[in-house]
Amino acid sequence: MTKTLMKGNEAIAEAAIRAGCRYFFGYPITPQNEIPEYLSRELPKHGGKFIQAESEVAAINMLHGGGSTGKRCMTSSSACGISLKGEGISYIAAAEVPGVIVDMSRLGPGMGGMQPTQSSYRQATRGGGHGGYRNIVFCPGTVQEAFDMMYEAFDAAEKYRMISYIYADGLIGQVMEPIELREPVKVDENAAAEWGMTGRHGRARGNYINSSMDADRYDRLINEKYAKIQTEMQKWKSSNLADCDYVVTAFGTVGRIAEFAVRKYREATGTKIGFIRPLIAWPFPKRAYEEIPSSCRKVVVIEANDGQMLEDVQITLGGRFPVTFEGTYGSLIPSAEQVLEMLERQIGQEVR
């Protein structure tokens, strides 16, 4: 593999091409604009098509149409742009069409601001639209993870015929880091032969319906497919859980920074602190939290929002341990120094 220095958004776009994406439909919004810019230049070189849609609403409906042919398609946006795509995402879920959405999260609500926060965690993990569905939500903490997760996102979208999100705060899109470039995959052009709108010569005519209009199909979607995904797609990174007295948990860039701060704090104070970072936010990695020993005194959740993953942690733990929260809603992603201060407030004072 080749190592190179790349900006996060450009790495994501390059990964999409290498993962077999050949159709992109998008509309500009900060902080993800380098994704369509890169793909507008590079995608046609690989036989793909870039379409600058007239709006976010148009872009998501183009994704619906492109995905229904079985081709690997994607779009990207942020904040209110994702909100505008909400109805289209809902219809894609109902029709069980695969697709990938990159959401470079910024401050909300409304037009919000340019700060790279984690404001739209609920929007990504609860489905959005008018409910009744889910998306697989990947949460990279580094540019390398964002690059690698694009491959996983397209595979998962195709396997389960649904939307995969790459959900990252805007910082991931803007930082530059050295990454290992993986080789392009060879996509099976016949993978969607049984369901895709491919012309169907000599076969029965295909059609797409709203699954919620078919009770049996909707029951299978909710009770079978989503249950299967919850078993198969849990993914996380953890450390020092076996004998911990405290656990810190965070996701995305905040998780990366918190992991570093926890290691430094543990080394400096000798406090037994474990760490959990979800790599996929839905399905939430419940098995990770089952590894917390009964000796744990407290679980501390750290986020760059008002406590949105906090709710998933509380539900998962079911009252087994006290859960407290530290957040930086409305400001930048916390620095390692700020996280160390959080740990001192939540753990240091208690230990002493």
Side-chain angles (χ1 to χ4, degrees):
M1 293 188 290
T2 303
K3 199 166 190 177
T4 187
L5 183 67
M6 293 192 79
K7 193 172 188 176
N9 280 333
E10 294 183 345
I12 286 171
E14 176 63 26
I17 295 172
R18 291 174 179 243
C21 176
R22 291 298 177 265
Y23 298 92
F24 177 90
F25 318 101
Y27 190 81
I29 183 172
T30 304
Q32 59 83 55
N33 285 330
E34 292 87 354
I35 295 175
E37 181 181 358
Y38 189 95
L39 290 172
S40 68
R41 181 180 71 245
E42 299 297 328
L43 194 55
K45 297 178 184 178
H46 297 269
K49 302 292 184 183
F50 170 91
I51 296 181
Q52 170 66 64
E54 63 268 33
S55 68
E56 286 91 350
V57 175
I60 195 62
N61 283 290
M62 291 176 184
L63 182 68
H64 190 165
S68 70
T69 69
K71 303 299 181 182
R72 292 194 166 189
C73 306
M74 69 172 282
T75 188
S76 61
S77 193
S78 178
C80 49
I82 296 291
S83 298
L84 288 168
K85 295 177 188 289
E87 185 179 36
I89 296 171
S90 182
Y91 273 93
I92 290 172
E96 295 187 85
V97 169
V100 171
I101 297 174
V102 177
D103 180 1
M104 283 295 168
S105 178
R106 71 185 204 191
L107 186 64
M111 289 298 292
M114 300 305 163
Q115 295 95 325
T117 71
Q118 298 175 322
S119 296
S120 48
Y121 177 92
R122 290 192 190 97
Q123 182 187 53
T125 58
R126 268 56 177 173
H130 42 290
Y133 69 95
R134 294 282 194 170
N135 308 299
I136 299 171
V137 183
F138 294 85
C139 297
T142 68
V143 174
Q144 183 70 64
E145 286 181 354
F147 181 90
D148 294 338
M149 285 178 177
M150 285 301 293
Y151 287 74
E152 299 177 63
F154 278 104
D155 287 345
E158 197 169 80
K159 177 180 179 179
Y160 299 109
R161 284 177 54 187
M162 62 187 294
I163 290 292
S164 285
Y165 263 78
I166 298 293
Y167 177 66
D169 60 75
L171 187 61
I172 286 287
Q174 298 302 312
V175 298
M176 295 187 73
E177 294 182 336
I179 63 168
E180 296 280 355
L181 295 176
R182 291 170 51 181
E183 293 299 316
V185 299
K186 183 174 177 57
V187 178
D188 182 3
E189 295 295 334
N190 297 313
E194 294 303 315
W195 60 267
M197 297 293 190
T198 58
R200 295 182 174 267
H201 297 295
R203 291 179 287 160
R205 181 178 179 181
N207 64 81
Y208 282 90
I209 63 171
N210 185 328
S211 63
S212 59
M213 302 295 287
D214 181 330
D216 291 338
R217 184 180 172 197
Y218 188 66
D219 183 70
R220 176 185 59 78
L221 177 71
I222 298 298
N223 295 317
E224 293 184 22
K225 184 166 85 169
Y226 289 170
K228 182 179 181 182
I229 294 168
Q230 286 179 302
T231 299
E232 297 178 346
M233 291 297 294
Q234 292 189 40
K235 187 175 183 180
W236 69 91
K237 183 178 180 181
S238 64
S239 60
N240 298 314
L241 293 179
D243 64 344
C244 64
D245 293 326
Y246 300 90
V247 171
V248 172
T249 184
F251 74 95
T253 304
V254 179
R256 173 188 183 177
I257 296 167
E259 183 176 14
F260 171 81
V262 165
R263 185 170 66 250
K264 290 297 182 182
Y265 193 85
R266 185 176 174 118
E267 291 171 356
T269 67
T271 308
K272 294 180 179 180
I273 309 177
F275 180 76
I276 298 173
R277 177 161 68 93
L279 299 177
I280 293 179
W282 194 88
F284 195 67
K286 296 179 180 179
R287 290 197 295 272
Y289 297 86
E290 292 172 358
E291 296 178 5
I292 300 175
S294 58
S295 58
C296 179
R297 301 177 188 176
K298 181 193 291 187
V299 175
V300 182
V301 182
I302 302 176
E303 301 179 70
N305 59 36
D306 55 337
Q308 297 184 25
M309 189 185 78
L310 170 66
E311 297 171 356
D312 283 332
V313 175
Q314 290 171 323
I315 291 169
T316 298
L317 292 177
R320 287 176 58 210
F321 311 103
V323 180
T324 57
F325 174 71
E326 288 279 351
T328 57
Y329 184 75
S331 63
L332 297 175
I333 301 297
S335 65
E337 289 76 14
Q338 287 175 302
V339 175
L340 286 168
E341 292 173 1
M342 295 173 184
L343 297 180
E344 182 61 21
R345 281 195 297 272
Q346 291 291 335
I347 297 172
Q349 296 178 13
E350 182 174 307
V351 170
R352 286 192 296 274

